[in-house]
Amino acid sequence: MTDLQPKASHFIGGAYVEDTAGAPIEVIYPATGEVIAVLHAGTSAIVEQAVAAAGAAQAEWAAMTGTERGRVLLKAAALIRERNRELSVLETHDTGKPLQETLVADATSGADALEYFGGLAGSLTGEHIPVGGGDFVYTVREPLGVCLGIGAWNYPTQIACWKAAPALACGNAMIFKPSETTPLCALKIAEILIEAGAPAGLFNVVQGFGETGAMLTGHPGIAKVSLTGSVPTGRKVAAQAAGMMKHVTMELGGKSPLIIFDDADLESAISAAINGNFYSSGQICSNGTRVFVQKGIKEAFLARLAERLGTAVIGDPMDEATNFGPMTTKAQLEIALGYVAKGVAEGARLVTGGERIEREGFWMTPAVFADVTDGMSIAREEIFGPVMSVLDFEGEDEVVARANDTEFGLAGGVFTNDLARAHRVIGRIRAGSCYINTYNLTPVEAPFGGMKASGVGRENSKEAINHYSEVKSVYVCLGKTEAAF
Ligand code: NAD
């Protein structure tokens, strides 16, 4: 095995733990197809151990002041920043994403979350509410208990931190189950939190497939489940959690619209379409995969887009000049290539790309379809790969109606130099994360999450506090209490 093989599969109670009775999980480097580590899925014994460790740590952690908790999170953020390169190299092995990306978008984004919520931890307070006659109500924001985070495979470090940072700031403990595809990075976050002073058991990592996720979701010791994953998985996890009346946050998939009016800055709009379709080889939930381009600029847009795609550097993800890497799994590559074939079969025009690259690993070229119509599979279904659909439109009302005609509602963007139109159009888009004249930026200060089938709840920003704590209200009577009889 390579030197990327961790000491053991799980991290529980502040230490690495193994149970080889769990099903093997092969970790594959997407750029070569090589197996770089083998782990084991969490068994029921591992799940019990993790829930017990998290429960014990949570009581200790919640008794600390917010400022003390914040100090630990800030220390962890500093350690992540110090080790950014090492963590980025690991993230690239886990996901195949180019080092050029992982150096700036993964561990650093995790550190942002730990800094932001570490800074907030000491200021999480309730309210004082006068209710007449001298009486008042005060509110207390209490942690939920042990929270479960379940991750997708596209941003393993970021997802672990985006869930852990607000959960821990609020006084909860966390058990994190990474995606079985990318299990390595969260273990490093667990190590770092211990080094930063977190109590043993505060942040635990349990590996596994959906089955382990379901075992954890159904455990009575878990108070809340936060999932990042697909809509079908979200429906299952939310249903299981609802049966036990647990809190949920669901960060799910999308098929988001990016609307480009003919007065837009064309180069910026093309940059947004490239970022929103091909960054991380298109494996981003909020991607603007339905690019609506107003008819007058369609041919200019397509010509310049194809020209710029011709300059993409596809190759070794460890080479910092590379800006387009492999797909993370063979299965996801097959899905994306399957959609390219479907797009052609359903009559869309393949402008460029969409070919498998014949080399070791899971490679394809970025694909752009033009003349896509609303009913085509490539315009309706989430592909989660580098396949852009360009659709033409004429007017504002028409494009808004078509943009909203989807079960998803994760993100949406508009490009125009008409200020009033920009706000008018975004005001009518049914999506949780919207953009004007840019796309796909996710600063920790801003809420992130979806409407409709794309999710429930929000990550990041002060909003996330509401999803990792609950409010107790206390009525205080200063006078006498009377009764009718
Ligand atoms: P997935 O739904 O297949 O798996 C997500 C996670 O859920 C994995 O850890 C998996 O093991 C676990 N899981 C599967 N079945 C489960 C069950 N029954 N109970 C508990 N856990 C279970 O998703 P994926 O293929 O890993 O990721 C891609 C999807 O994630 C895409 O749809 C993408 O849009 C979405 N995503 C959303 C966001 C967001 O923030 N909205 C971010 C990244 C990815």
Side-chain angles (χ1 to χ4, degrees):
M1 206 46 56
T2 64
D3 56 359
L4 298 173
Q5 174 73 32
K7 280 185 218 147
S9 301
H10 317 287
F11 194 97
I12 298 173
Y16 276 95
V17 176
E18 190 55 271
D19 181 355
T20 52
I25 299 173
E26 285 194 340
V27 190
I28 295 171
Y29 181 38
T32 61
E34 179 198 1
V35 176
I36 52 171
V38 179
L39 281 64
H40 292 274
T43 55
S44 57
I46 287 289
V47 166
E48 289 303 332
Q49 201 179 332
V51 174
Q58 197 263 323
E60 180 188 339
W61 181 247
M64 288 163 61
T65 67
T67 303
E68 287 167 335
R69 292 199 297 268
R71 196 177 300 140
V72 173
L73 302 190
L74 292 169
K75 177 84 190 293
L79 291 170
I80 289 176
R81 291 205 189 282
E82 261 172 53
R83 294 175 202 166
N84 182 38
R85 180 161 287 272
E86 184 191 319
L87 294 168
S88 302
V89 166
L90 187 64
E91 176 100 11
T92 290
H93 277 99
D94 237 356
T95 61
K97 294 187 293 180
L99 199 54
Q100 188 191 92
E101 288 188 16
T102 54
L103 282 170
V104 297
D106 293 281
T108 52
S109 162
D112 286 351
L114 288 159
E115 280 158 0
Y116 178 85
F117 289 104
L120 273 187
S123 60
L124 303 177
T125 57
E127 280 185 295
H128 171 272
I129 307 162
V131 289
D135 289 2
F136 60 92
V137 172
Y138 67 88
T139 64
V140 186
R141 196 158 273 289
E142 297 191 345
L144 300 171
V146 178
C147 299
L148 168 64
I150 303 179
W153 43 259
N154 57 343
Y155 277 75
T157 306
Q158 182 189 81
I159 293 171
C161 292
W162 280 18
K163 295 187 189 309
L168 303 189
C170 291
N172 303 285
M174 175 159 276
I175 299 175
F176 186 76
K177 191 204 82 61
S179 163
E180 58 273 30
T181 304
T182 53
L184 301 178
C185 297
L187 293 168
K188 292 289 164 196
I189 301 303
E191 281 180 27
I192 284 173
L193 277 160
I194 289 292
E195 209 178 321
L202 186 69
F203 180 79
N204 307 278
V205 178
V206 171
Q207 307 292 352
F209 300 90
E211 202 184 14
T212 304
M215 251 194 286
L216 285 160
T217 303
H219 196 291
I222 299 288
K224 185 218 162 95
V225 186
S226 175
L227 168 80
T228 297
S230 62
V231 172
T233 302
R235 289 192 212 282
K236 275 191 240 166
V237 176
Q240 193 187 4
M244 299 172 83
M245 213 56 84
K246 294 183 181 187
H247 296 247
V248 293
T249 295
M250 293 286 142
E251 288 294 345
L252 309 176
K255 190 77 198 176
S256 301
L258 173 58
I259 302 169
I260 302 170
F261 285 92
D262 58 12
D263 65 341
D265 176 323
L266 195 61
E267 283 302 311
S268 290
I270 290 169
S271 295
I274 290 173
N275 292 340
N277 280 273
F278 303 126
Y279 200 72
S280 301
S281 297
Q283 303 164 117
I284 296 183
C285 52
S286 50
N287 273 354
T289 47
R290 288 183 296 145
V291 182
F292 290 93
V293 180
Q294 205 164 16
K295 268 203 171 135
I297 54 165
K298 173 186 160 185
E299 290 310 327
F301 174 89
L302 288 172
R304 181 71 181 127
L305 174 65
E307 192 180 6
R308 286 181 56 178
L309 283 181
T311 68
V313 184
I314 305 177
D316 178 6
M318 291 299 165
D319 180 344
E320 282 181 51
T322 297
N323 52 28
F324 188 86
M327 302 295 292
T328 298
T329 65
K330 186 159 186 286
Q332 200 60 36
L333 171 68
E334 303 294 349
I335 289 170
L337 289 171
Y339 273 105
V340 172
K342 249 190 213 173
V344 172
E346 291 180 16
R349 169 161 62 101
L350 185 59
V351 177
T352 177
E355 295 129 11
R356 184 193 294 264
I357 303 174
E358 294 304 336
R359 56 187 281 177
E360 296 297 304
F362 318 131
W363 299 81
M364 66 179 283
T365 51
V368 176
F369 277 104
D371 305 334
V372 178
T373 55
D374 298 339
M376 290 179 183
S377 310
I378 54 170
R380 300 215 70 78
E381 297 166 22
E382 183 184 45
I383 300 173
F384 217 58
V387 183
M388 182 196 296
S389 291
V390 178
L391 304 97
D392 315 342
F393 76 95
E394 287 183 19
E396 189 177 312
D397 287 343
E398 168 214 337
V399 78
V400 167
R402 291 171 60 199
N404 283 332
D405 181 19
T406 166
E407 65 163 327
F408 301 108
L410 185 52
V414 59
F415 269 79
T416 175
N417 275 332
D418 178 338
L419 188 67
R421 176 160 66 188
H423 292 288
R424 204 164 54 224
V425 168
I426 279 300
R428 294 170 71 193
I429 294 295
R430 290 279 299 149
S433 299
C434 289
Y435 299 93
I436 293 175
N437 290 341
T438 189
Y439 201 79
N440 252 3
L441 301 174
T442 55
V444 67
E445 296 84 356
F448 181 78
M451 294 180 180
K452 295 156 75 179
S454 292
V456 174
R458 294 291 176 269
E459 296 200 300
N460 291 343
S461 80
K462 285 181 239 165
E463 273 297 317
I465 298 299
N466 298 327
H467 299 291
Y468 283 104
S469 59
E470 59 191 336
V471 169
K472 176 185 282 175
S473 74
V474 181
Y475 189 115
V476 181
C477 174
L478 299 189
K480 294 233 178 280
T481 295
E482 291 170 3
F485 56 89

